[in-house]
Amino acid sequence: SQQGEEDPQALSIQEGENATMNCSYKTSINNLQWYRQNSGRGLVHLILIRSNEREKHSGRLRVTLDTSKKSSSLLITASRAADTASYFCATRRNAGGTSYGKLTFGQGTILTVHP
Amino acid sequence: DTGVSQDPRHKITKRGQNVTFRCDPISEHNRLYWYRQTLGQGPEFLTYFQNEAQLEKSRLLSDRFSAERPKGSFSTLEIQRTEQGDSAMYLCASSPIGGMSSYNEQFFGPGTRLTVL
């Protein structure tokens, strides 16, 4: 079963606006990652935040992590039409040396940015 | 381009047939993963290799599924006696070991879309 749950399932905004997507998870994690997927294609890694980090920035992306609430958010500022894609959070469990980096993905948020 | 490649990109087959997919990871990456993604869902883990050793298999991987990575480089995923429920995108990913390997991102290939008629 999917561990992560993204919210909202779909988000439609105008170019230039900010987009915020949320993710919740259930188990103790080592890290949380966000990926983007353009329609029918492979996934592209966006940003990784470790369990001992609370906030991270990369260009127009800002990720927060609240391990007490088992939740994360991805903020895309000044969105562009090219940001239109599905966004997935993925968690790596904190299971010592046996989890091998397996990622558990949420169901994703479909973001549409209108020009 | 030295990214992860997958072949074929699309496969249409009839129920009951066998299919095989290939994944070529980034050359220096020791870890290789297979995931399955159905429409509207996130990817689900199937199996993991470290070099040539298959170290983890999901319960999603029924006896009809088998994966190999014979020389620790490319990997194949075979589905025997395909069923309509096998229709999905099959994604391969790779990542390196070493350093702070707990924190490594995974690099995904473009996927193989399987349609079982």
Side-chain angles (χ1 to χ4, degrees), chain A:
Chain A
S1 62
Q2 293 292 323
Q3 176 177 240
E5 300 282 340
E6 277 96 339
D7 168 52
Q9 292 187 346
L11 181 60
S12 182
I13 59 174
Q14 295 295 127
E15 210 166 29
E17 294 180 340
N18 295 341
T20 299
M21 288 160 268
N22 302 299
C23 167
S24 61
Y25 57 92
K26 297 177 182 176
T27 64
S28 175
I29 63 170
N30 178 289
N31 66 60
L32 184 145
Q33 305 177 31
W34 285 89
Y35 287 81
R36 182 185 72 214
Q37 185 177 38
N38 290 90
S39 180
R41 299 188 179 180
L43 284 84
V44 175
H45 182 266
L46 295 176
I47 194 166
L48 181 153
I49 187 165
R50 303 171 189 175
S51 59
N52 62 351
E53 296 177 316
R54 292 296 167 260
E55 187 170 314
K56 201 162 184 180
H57 298 254
S58 176
R60 294 185 295 114
L61 305 179
R62 190 189 87 162
V63 171
T64 62
L65 179 64
D66 187 335
T67 53
S68 66
K69 295 181 180 178
K70 291 186 168 57
S71 67
S72 174
S73 68
L74 172 67
L75 168 67
I76 304 174
T77 59
S79 64
R80 306 167 181 166
D83 295 328
T84 295
S86 293
Y87 291 82
F88 295 92
C89 70
T91 54
R92 186 198 174 208
R93 286 182 59 191
N94 189 16
T98 61
S99 65
Y100 301 123
K102 174 181 79 173
L103 294 175
T104 300
F105 286 84
Q107 292 185 327
T109 293
I110 300 172
L111 173 65
T112 303
V113 182
H114 300 281

